Amino acid sequence: MNHFLDIHKTDASDLRQMINEAKRIKTARKGQPKGTPDAEQPLANHMVALIFEKPSTRTRVSFDVGVRQMGGQTMVLSGSDMQLGHGETIADTARVLSRYVDMIMIRTFEESTLLEMAEHASVPVINGLTNRTHPCQIMADILTYEEHHGSIKGKKVVWLGDGNNVVASLIHAAGQFGFDITISAPETLQPEAGFVAWAREKGVRVNLETNPQKAVEGADLVVTDTWVSMHDSQTTKERRHNQLRAYQVDDALMAHAKSDALFMHCLPAHRGEEVTSSVMDGPQSVIWDEAENRLHAQKAVMRWCLGK
Ligand code: CP
């Protein structure tokens, strides 16, 4: 049994195997109606708990559909409806859930909640996003890049905007999959220094470039995300927007990247804020493939967690 807690906590060879497996799983389903079960049913007779302490569209639906297509069943639980939200400890919740279900996916606020769940669960626990990281999203992003342009190794990936939980996992992926990453954000919204140091120790280039035009020069992949995350206070919204306006991804900025560069956004997007509609809906955008690939990548993650 394996927990999938973070990209930097998982062996690089296992991550590579999951991406290859996701490609195989996606190919095997090509052209099938959504309700068709997968030819392989590794989750037959398995029950998976999907716990959400924050809102979700993609994570919730892609995990639910993925488990069902692999033959399993799900229960979607809201943190506030459980005793977890009323004082029962995370450790006790983990012990109890482990008696009912075969795997737990949790989206939560504090990383400590995820880690305590994993420490005390006797079934695999998957990180469906915390305030600090979002590894399932980045597994889908690697799959998406590679199905369009081949191996991501040695490529230049550029992140524009807030140094949030998504870029944290992207930095981890740079270290594990061997690509260079440039982060273009104001001084006050840089990613965690420890994550940057970790990736540099793995031997990849991590550049911090506050000028967005310089950052995007020669990029193979341009990525952005909302300027205000779910856990950020709404009172910071106006200040954030003022700080990040120069980092909006528009056609002029994309013109600094390679002509065949891809554009990604994990969604939900705020059109006209961090990215223009012309980029989102333009020829370099692969955002709908990226959303779909949550399904295929997470199937590979779940199979790895269960040793299947
Ligand atoms: N990208 C992502 O995780 O989307 P949701 O918040 O809708 O799950």
Side-chain angles (χ1 to χ4, degrees), residues 104-288:
I104 299 166
M105 191 287 310
I106 180 165
R107 166 168 289 197
T108 186
F109 293 89
E110 301 304 327
E111 185 182 53
S112 57
T113 303
L114 170 79
L115 298 180
E116 192 173 340
M117 184 73 77
E119 187 183 343
H120 298 281
S122 54
V123 298
V125 173
I126 297 174
N127 176 358
L129 178 147
T130 70
N131 292 355
R132 254 187 126 197
T133 59
H134 195 1
C136 289
Q137 179 62 55
I138 297 304
M139 292 299 279
D141 293 3
I142 303 297
L143 172 62
T144 307
Y145 184 87
E146 295 203 339
E147 71 182 2
H148 282 272
H149 279 348
S151 174
I152 198 163
K153 194 174 167 70
K155 302 294 182 186
K156 177 177 177 179
V157 175
V158 179
W159 174 271
L160 278 304
D162 184 25
N164 65 12
N165 48 2
V166 180
V167 74
S169 290
L170 191 61
I171 293 167
H172 294 150
Q176 299 288 51
F177 289 93
F179 57 85
D180 295 336
I181 183 164
T182 298
I183 296 130
S184 194
E187 297 288 355
T188 50
L189 295 173
Q190 297 283 329
E192 278 188 44
F195 290 158
V196 171
W198 177 88
R200 284 178 175 155
E201 273 174 30
K202 297 289 281 186
V204 293
R205 269 197 291 270
V206 184
N207 301 313
L208 304 175
E209 172 55 68
T210 53
N211 181 312
Q213 285 79 24
K214 276 192 199 162
V216 170
E217 215 60 60
D220 295 288
L221 170 62
V222 176
V223 193
T224 191
D225 193 9
T226 51
W227 288 340
V228 182
S229 294
M230 285 182 272
H231 57 274
D232 289 326
S233 144
Q234 288 302 309
T235 56
T236 64
K237 193 170 172 180
E238 191 179 332
R239 187 162 50 84
R240 280 287 178 92
H241 281 220
N242 289 335
Q243 284 177 294
L244 288 164
R245 196 155 287 128
Y247 297 86
Q248 183 190 65
V249 181
D250 59 12
D251 291 315
L253 189 61
M254 282 302 288
H256 290 268
K258 284 186 181 163
S259 57
D260 65 347
L262 301 177
F263 169 75
M264 288 191 202
H265 188 308
C266 68
L267 306 175
H270 292 86
R271 288 172 180 258
E273 293 182 8
E274 71 273 9
V275 58
T276 59
S277 281
S278 64
V279 171
M280 278 190 73
D281 302 326
Q284 290 168 282
S285 172
V286 290
I287 56 175
W288 311 125

